Amino acid sequence: MPRTASANRIRIMPNGRIDLASLISDLPSELHVKLDDEYITLTKTWHLKGVKRSCKARVRRYIDGDLLSEFLGLYVSDGSKNFDRVRFSNTNIRYHKKVAEALKQLGADEPIAYVYYRNPASRELKEAIMRFEALTGAKVRGTYVDERAKTPFFELDVYNKLLAIFILAVEKTFRKVAAAGGLPRELVARYIRGITAGDGNIRIRIGKVKKCDEEKAEGVYIRISEKNKEIAEDFVKILQRYYRVELHSYGYDHVATLSLQRLLELLLDEVFPEEYADRICRRLLIAFKRKSIPWIILQLAKTFGNNAFTVLEASKVLGKSRNHARDSLIKLESMGYLRSWKQKVPERRKGTPVRRFFKLTQKAFRVARALSSLLHLSFLLLFPSSSLL
């Protein structure tokens, strides 16, 4: 069957599932592929001492798009790049659960697992194994001593060469299409989330304002480690295309500085894994103390909801002069958090009675909800039901 790569070939169904038949352009030519309504059947044949031999693998054709995207990001980060088996290695059991769910949807055989830890007889390891088996459904078949493992390090395995080849080919096609801008942003966000969970890191540098104890944010950094040059170049293209984030490469590390606006966009798309919530929260709290963009959005959402307002009304809420309030509103409008229009107002005064009205966009409400959840603010107090219609 033809396997020419195309940036527009990925087929996404109305129910959000992805047709994996549209992601097999990078499969090796020696594999025979057969498609039916539910499965993709892979067959490989070879000759050994004059005898024809073959092996087969059957993969479900359709899989949930969000799950697949995050799974591919996790696998390209911490999955095996070899073709002998499917193997995912990480200390975080929640990521193993995601991988196990994806493998189950693909129709893979029951995975098995191994664990490495410096103290194999410890209670901590036994409890970790119980959690791992309960969440993934995979049995831990072996426990090994590794003095470097400060926390239990799990490996999830499926002994299936053809499935390993299939997953790596699907990931490559998915990544190339994303780098060309051919995927919906929500799927790319899930993919980046998986990458960040595996090979990524979020670091926030906090300093002190001179002559006082107030904190200031000196920088928010995202770092992704990747040895493969081709994969790293694709990561750079994806973050630049979808989020205008410039990754700079220093050997195997690829680092970018995130402005507050970019941080909010990534937060809105749920790109950041859960373990970075505290760091991001600390950065946002500094912005709140300085009454910058996050604080302004929440104040406007709390006060005006879905109603229009003027610069004068906003200045009273924000505690700023008219000119400063106008500058803030125009900046928010340029970022997509507000829209504005001019309208005549029936007033008895000299001059043309025209006012400029502002209104929060749906993007602003989504950011406000995300901020409220992350900062543990009172959702009901900030958003009365009438203001979110």
Side-chain angles (χ1 to χ4, degrees), residues 334-351:
S334 68
M335 297 166 64
Y337 297 116
L338 293 175
R339 62 184 180 90
S340 69
W341 66 94
K342 291 184 178 180
Q343 181 176 325
K344 288 186 177 181
V345 178
E347 290 186 2
R348 295 180 180 179
R349 52 169 291 177
K350 294 181 180 180

Side-chain angles (χ1 to χ4, degrees), residues 92-304:
N92 194 312
I93 298 176
R94 293 196 307 273
Y95 301 156
H96 282 280
K97 179 184 178 183
K98 289 279 187 182
V99 171
E101 289 174 353
L103 292 174
K104 184 177 181 180
Q105 281 203 22
L106 288 171
D109 296 332
E110 196 74 24
I112 60 175
Y114 306 93
V115 62
Y116 299 82
Y117 192 51
R118 57 185 177 183
N119 187 0
S122 68
R123 180 178 177 181
E124 179 184 0
L125 178 60
K126 293 178 182 178
E127 292 177 349
I129 291 175
M130 290 177 62
R131 290 197 306 272
F132 180 90
E133 293 181 341
L135 288 175
T136 64
K139 294 295 293 182
V140 176
R141 298 290 181 86
T143 302
Y144 301 94
V145 178
D146 187 342
E147 295 296 337
R148 299 169 298 175
K150 297 181 180 180
T151 57
F153 182 82
F154 290 93
E155 287 186 343
L156 192 69
D157 275 13
V158 176
Y159 289 95
N160 190 322
K161 292 183 179 181
L162 293 184
L163 181 60
I165 295 171
F166 180 83
I167 290 173
L168 291 173
V170 165
E171 189 282 324
K172 181 178 180 181
T173 304
F174 185 97
R175 174 168 31 88
K176 294 295 183 183
V177 174
L183 282 176
R185 179 161 163 160
E186 57 268 20
L187 294 183
V188 174
R190 291 289 180 179
Y191 180 68
I192 299 174
R193 180 184 177 95
I195 294 169
T196 307
D199 282 340
N201 183 38
I202 305 295
R203 183 167 61 90
I204 297 179
R205 183 183 297 167
I206 305 295
K208 295 287 185 181
V209 178
K210 292 182 178 180
K211 298 182 181 180
C212 68
D213 293 331
E214 185 180 350
E215 289 183 323
K216 67 175 181 179
E218 297 181 341
V220 180
Y221 307 92
I222 182 171
R223 177 179 60 83
I224 298 174
S225 299
E226 178 55 55
K227 295 181 179 180
N228 186 293
K229 184 178 179 181
E230 179 185 350
I231 296 176
E233 289 175 351
D234 289 337
F235 289 170
V236 171
K237 293 177 183 177
I238 291 170
L239 279 167
Q240 167 61 29
R241 180 176 293 275
Y242 286 89
Y243 292 100
R244 290 173 290 173
V245 171
E246 295 280 354
L247 282 175
H248 300 279
S249 299
Y250 304 94
Y252 298 146
D253 289 336
H254 314 280
V255 184
T257 303
L258 300 178
S259 65
L260 185 58
Q261 180 182 352
R262 298 289 171 263
L263 186 68
L264 287 175
E265 289 181 2
L266 292 167
L267 175 66
L268 184 61
D269 285 355
E270 299 181 353
V271 169
F272 300 115
E274 294 175 3
E275 58 263 33
Y276 297 115
D278 289 342
R279 302 181 195 181
I280 298 169
C281 184
R282 187 177 181 189
R283 171 64 182 95
L284 293 174
L285 284 173
I286 294 174
F288 264 68
K289 290 179 182 179
R290 294 178 172 272
K291 296 186 177 181
S292 58
I293 293 172
W295 180 84
I296 293 174
I297 291 174
L298 278 179
Q299 292 301 314
L300 294 176
K302 175 183 176 181
T303 305
F304 301 110

